[in-house]
Amino acid sequence: MNEHELLEAIGRSGTHLAVFLETPLCGTCKVARRMMDVAEHLLPRDYALVSGNVNLLPSIVWQYRIASVPALLVFDADRGRPPRIHYALYSVERVLEYIRSVN
């Protein structure tokens, strides 16, 4: 997603949202991307999973103070709280746990 699309998705409430941030040349990001692809198929329909390249998302990086990639931002459905940010994506199970932990 580009920055405008991602900001719109974050602004919409009503669904749980997980944003996966990566860079194209990051090897760890490629492994995490595979985990995210598997996790996406295991989540219910009321969860949205989107991704973006941090090199093209400067205001997102600044706003949420992204320290490294890969990063997973998990927003609750009403967007009433700031997202939980996870940098260590150990396994598909852990990714699903991170996403489902936000009510």
Side-chain angles (χ1 to χ4, degrees):
M1 291 188 126
N2 66 37
E3 195 162 49
H4 179 71
E5 293 169 336
L6 189 52
L7 288 170
E8 281 184 5
I10 292 170
R12 272 185 249 124
S13 60
T15 60
H16 296 279
L17 176 66
V19 178
F20 176 67
L21 299 175
E22 60 185 327
T23 60
L25 300 177
C26 168
T28 307
C29 296
K30 291 183 189 326
V31 173
R33 159 58 66 196
R34 287 189 217 122
M35 287 189 276
M36 298 303 293
D37 291 341
V38 172
E40 185 174 22
H41 293 289
L42 299 173
L43 289 170
R45 295 220 181 260
D46 63 335
Y47 286 83
L49 186 59
V50 298
S51 64
N53 178 348
V54 294
N55 295 327
L56 305 174
L57 306 169
S59 67
I60 299 289
V61 170
W62 180 81
Q63 181 176 354
Y64 296 107
R65 293 178 173 80
I66 303 303
S68 66
V69 290
L72 180 65
L73 285 70
V74 183
F75 295 86
D76 63 358
D78 64 5
R79 309 293 192 271
R81 292 178 290 191
R84 292 185 183 176
I85 302 173
H86 304 279
Y87 295 105
L89 309 178
Y90 300 104
S91 66
V92 173
E93 287 180 30
R94 184 71 60 93
V95 168
L96 290 169
E97 180 183 312
Y98 291 155
I99 295 171
R100 291 176 178 153
S101 70
V102 177
N103 294 327

